[in-house]
Amino acid sequence: MSLRTARALTALYFTLSLLTTTWPGMVPFARVEPMILGLPFSMAWVGMWLAGSVIVLWLLDRVERRHRDPDGGEG
Amino acid sequence: MERWVFITIIIAIYLAVTLTIGLLAGRKQTDSVAGYVAADRSFGLLVMYFVTGASVFSAFAFLGGPGWAYSQGAASFYILTYGALGMAPFYWVGPRIAKLGRRHGFVTQAQLITGRFPSKGLSALIAVLSLIAFVPYVTIQMRGAGIVIEAVTDGHVPLWLGALVAYGIVIAYVLSAGAMAVGWTNTFQGIFMIVIAWSLGLYLPYRLYGGIGPMFEGIREARPELLVPPGLTAAGEPWSWGAYSTFILVSAVGLMMWPHLFMKAFTAKNDDTLRRTVILFPTFQLFLIPVLLIGFSGVLFAGTPPSADFILPFMILETDLPPLVVGLFCAGALSASMSTGDALLHASASVVVEDGVMQFTKLDERRQRSLMQALVLLTGATAYWFALDPHSSLVLLLASAYGIISQFAPPVIAALYWRRATTSGAVAGLVAGIAVAVFFWQNPALKPFDMHEGVIGLLVHIPVLVGVSLATPAQDGRHVAAYVD
């Protein structure tokens, strides 16, 4: 994957995360049912975005490292 | 042996270990200002991870988080949301800041901003605003430590004494060893916080309700309004979406602008360490989930704590846990308080000397370090004085601290990414943003859509910064090239 794509996708993930955890994007997800892993849906929803950000940042880092020059420049 | 004596011994052991780590850490560090403020730029991944995690999550998260979940329900979900959002941009911004730090010798945030926008007044303004935001934050940490110790020792160790001992230790290692001590004690304390939060957060719902699912099903039957965002206000009224959303926004923007966190970029050994810290940060942040579960476990529990912020020690004491566990929990809560308090004290002294005093007189390195140490004491004493006053309205001040701190974001971003920004633009923007935030903080009834005053401040700040910059002559190209690639 190119650096540009990886950065764009990361930005997209965090933009979506902000839009769907604040008004008005969160309104459809602000409910109790269905419960997930015992948590009310809205709590699982914000928890999912948090857990997902670990994976997204890790994937971004893999791509960034491949494109970075060996002396630790900014890429 | 009496229960409270046993608990007190565990706390004493914990405090002794913290002090030892703090004092030993300083022996590896040079006597320079870069040593005291930025630990000679030597932190590796393990230390950076816990320094960042433990300094972000304070007594406010550890005691206030469960308190919110307990009394305001889904309103507390906002604290799960903003951390990763606020931290992610630092994957790119962090290494740039670190590079400029190495190139120009910066150790504070204001040095970076005024490096690009030279102005003694701007530097002093940032120092003063930082201090105004810091003092209530330290006070909250001290009160948190005192409250926990008082609660678990059945009042045998009163608040004033608990806070004094815990912060006497913090001040001792911050004075002697600076950033290195903050780093290594936070590593120890960070591990403590995570282990305690996860084990208690999973244990309490099982012990009391037979599981997390049954606990929430019970709450759904009895108090369904607690489970639907945006939850409730402290008064029990429905909270507004405007406030919920803008709390997330202002916290995400403000998070890394706290000088004590921003300055961590100058302490990392290399860029890879910084990037790894950003990537791993959300894993630390996941510990807020069990922290909130602790609060929810109190909702259907018989009995009421003296105030929502006491829900955590209250649950610990009411569920007949073994004294060893109570002692360890207490150490975990103290960790949360002390690991933020030390970073705050350390940063406030560094900021006042480097960005305030040094702008107007020249001191040699030895005098600078001594002055910083005097200021650590002075800030600590001021905060302690406020911490003893039960009627102080500092909680209100702290809520607004984010309104001030978030105003540092536009000048930082402009310094690093916008060639056309000028010193006049940066100063005008900051002054306008702060003025608007303070106005709406004083007149909450006038806030449009119940928005956080910090966000309203930013809505004025950014256009003023852009407008005034464009209306004033551009900066010299070679000067700008040193900051914007």
Side-chain angles (χ1 to χ4, degrees):
Chain A
M1 193 190 292
S2 80
L3 202 55
R4 264 181 99 87
T5 322
R7 288 180 177 178
L9 287 175
T10 309
L12 180 69
Y13 177 85
F14 283 101
T15 309
L16 275 178
S17 152
L18 177 67
L19 290 178
T20 59
T21 53
T22 52
W23 188 88
M26 194 179 178
V27 174
F29 309 102
R31 52 207 171 95
V32 185
E33 306 288 347
M35 287 195 166
I36 294 171
L37 296 173
L39 301 174
F41 186 81
S42 53
M43 188 174 180
W45 177 253
V46 296
M48 253 162 43
W49 283 107
L50 176 56
S53 64
V54 179
I55 299 165
V56 168
L57 286 171
W58 178 72
L59 290 174
L60 168 76
D61 192 51
R62 282 179 55 121
V63 178
E64 291 257 356
R65 282 157 65 82
R66 214 177 308 139
H67 289 267
R68 205 171 293 142
D69 48 315
D71 59 16
E74 299 218 341
Chain B
M1 195 189 310
E2 274 195 76
R3 191 178 150 93
W4 75 269
V5 178
F6 187 80
I7 295 171
T8 309
I9 292 172
I10 295 173
I11 297 169
I13 293 172
Y14 163 79
L15 290 173
V17 173
T18 305
L19 181 63
T20 312
I21 295 174
L23 294 181
L24 288 180
R27 302 200 322 197
K28 292 198 291 185
Q29 163 182 300
T30 65
D31 253 352
S32 65
V33 166
Y36 188 76
V37 179
D40 298 318
R41 309 185 198 282
S42 67
F43 284 171
L45 180 61
L46 178 79
V47 178
M48 278 298 287
Y49 176 69
F50 284 106
V51 163
T52 312
S55 341
V56 168
F57 298 112
S58 64
F60 206 62
F62 215 80
L63 300 174
W68 270 56
Y70 168 72
S71 61
Q72 298 172 240
S76 63
F77 297 167
Y78 101 85
I79 63 173
L80 288 175
T81 306
Y82 72 80
L85 281 172
M87 188 63 115
F90 262 67
Y91 186 89
W92 298 290
V93 180
R96 283 187 79 114
I97 294 170
K99 188 168 103 184
L100 289 167
R102 287 191 297 268
R103 189 188 292 164
H104 301 280
F106 298 148
V107 288
T108 72
Q109 189 174 15
Q111 285 172 348
L112 177 79
I113 296 175
T114 55
R116 168 76 201 272
F117 306 119
S119 158
K120 287 183 177 184
L122 181 58
S123 183
L125 179 64
I126 294 170
V128 169
L129 291 172
S130 304
L131 196 63
I132 290 174
F134 271 158
V135 169
Y137 207 173
V138 178
T139 299
I140 300 286
Q141 307 310 320
M142 287 185 174
R143 268 189 81 80
I147 284 170
V148 165
I149 294 178
E150 180 176 295
V152 299
T153 59
D154 287 342
H156 285 96
V157 181
L159 195 155
W160 69 267
L161 183 60
L164 188 66
V165 171
Y167 273 80
I169 287 169
V170 167
I171 286 175
Y173 67 70
V174 172
L175 281 185
S176 73
M180 197 70 97
V182 172
W184 282 102
T185 53
N186 283 14
T187 305
F188 171 65
Q189 292 165 327
I191 294 169
F192 232 97
M193 284 165 68
I194 289 199
V195 172
I196 296 286
W198 277 103
S199 43
L200 266 183
L202 297 177
Y203 173 80
L204 282 176
Y206 275 95
R207 166 80 189 262
L208 297 172
Y209 309 101
I212 294 169
M215 174 177 84
F216 278 114
E217 279 159 25
I219 297 174
R220 185 187 54 192
E221 299 308 315
R223 302 279 312 277
E225 72 280 8
L226 280 180
L227 299 185
V228 184
L232 307 177
T233 65
E237 305 288 320
W239 208 25
S240 67
W241 274 113
Y244 181 91
S245 306
T246 50
F247 262 61
I248 290 174
L249 211 56
V250 80
S251 308
V253 171
L255 176 66
M256 290 310 291
M257 293 300 140
W258 277 100
H260 64 294
L261 298 176
F262 190 94
M263 285 162 61
K264 298 289 186 276
F266 299 124
T267 59
K269 195 184 281 176
N270 56 45
D271 294 351
D272 245 10
T273 305
L274 264 179
R275 294 192 186 98
R276 286 295 161 79
T277 308
V278 173
I279 291 167
L280 289 173
F281 177 74
T283 63
F284 198 107
Q285 211 203 350
L286 283 169
F287 102 121
L288 287 170
I289 292 176
V291 163
L292 296 186
L293 293 178
I294 296 172
F296 279 115
S297 76
V299 171
L300 297 178
F301 189 74
T304 324
S307 92
D309 287 346
F310 287 79
I311 186 67
L312 213 159
F314 177 78
M315 291 305 293
I316 306 274
L317 292 170
E318 293 297 310
T319 45
D320 285 325
L321 290 166
L324 178 68
V325 178
V326 178
L328 290 177
F329 145 72
C330 186
L334 285 179
S335 296
S337 155
M338 292 166 74
S339 60
T340 304
D342 59 7
L344 288 167
L345 283 171
H346 174 256
S348 64
S350 307
V351 166
V352 169
V353 172
E354 291 294 321
D355 306 330
V357 178
M358 287 295 286
Q359 297 301 312
F360 302 98
T361 61
K362 288 289 159 229
L363 297 173
D364 61 41
E365 291 235 330
R366 179 180 295 273
R367 305 269 302 268
Q368 277 184 54
R369 234 188 106 133
S370 310
L371 186 58
M372 280 178 202
Q373 288 166 332
L375 276 162
V376 167
L377 263 178
L378 190 69
T379 314
T382 311
Y384 181 68
W385 184 71
F386 280 119
L388 293 184
D389 176 8
H391 304 297
S392 58
S393 60
L394 285 157
V395 176
L396 286 175
L397 278 175
L398 184 67
S400 267
Y402 261 103
I404 295 176
I405 292 301
S406 60
Q407 306 303 322
F408 292 163
V412 166
I413 298 303
L416 296 175
Y417 293 100
W418 193 36
R419 291 172 189 282
R420 190 58 185 80
T422 67
T423 304
S424 311
V427 174
L430 184 61
V431 170
I434 295 287
V436 170
V438 169
F439 173 81
F440 283 101
W441 172 54
Q442 288 294 321
N443 301 280
L446 300 178
K447 286 188 213 173
F449 307 108
D450 204 18
M451 293 200 301
H452 191 290
E453 58 271 13
V455 172
I456 311 175
L458 288 172
L459 290 176
V460 175
H461 186 155
I462 296 167
V464 170
L465 189 158
V466 172
V468 174
S469 287
L470 293 176
T472 44
Q475 288 185 314
D476 176 62
R478 271 168 310 173
H479 172 75
V480 174
Y483 293 86
V484 186
D485 279 339

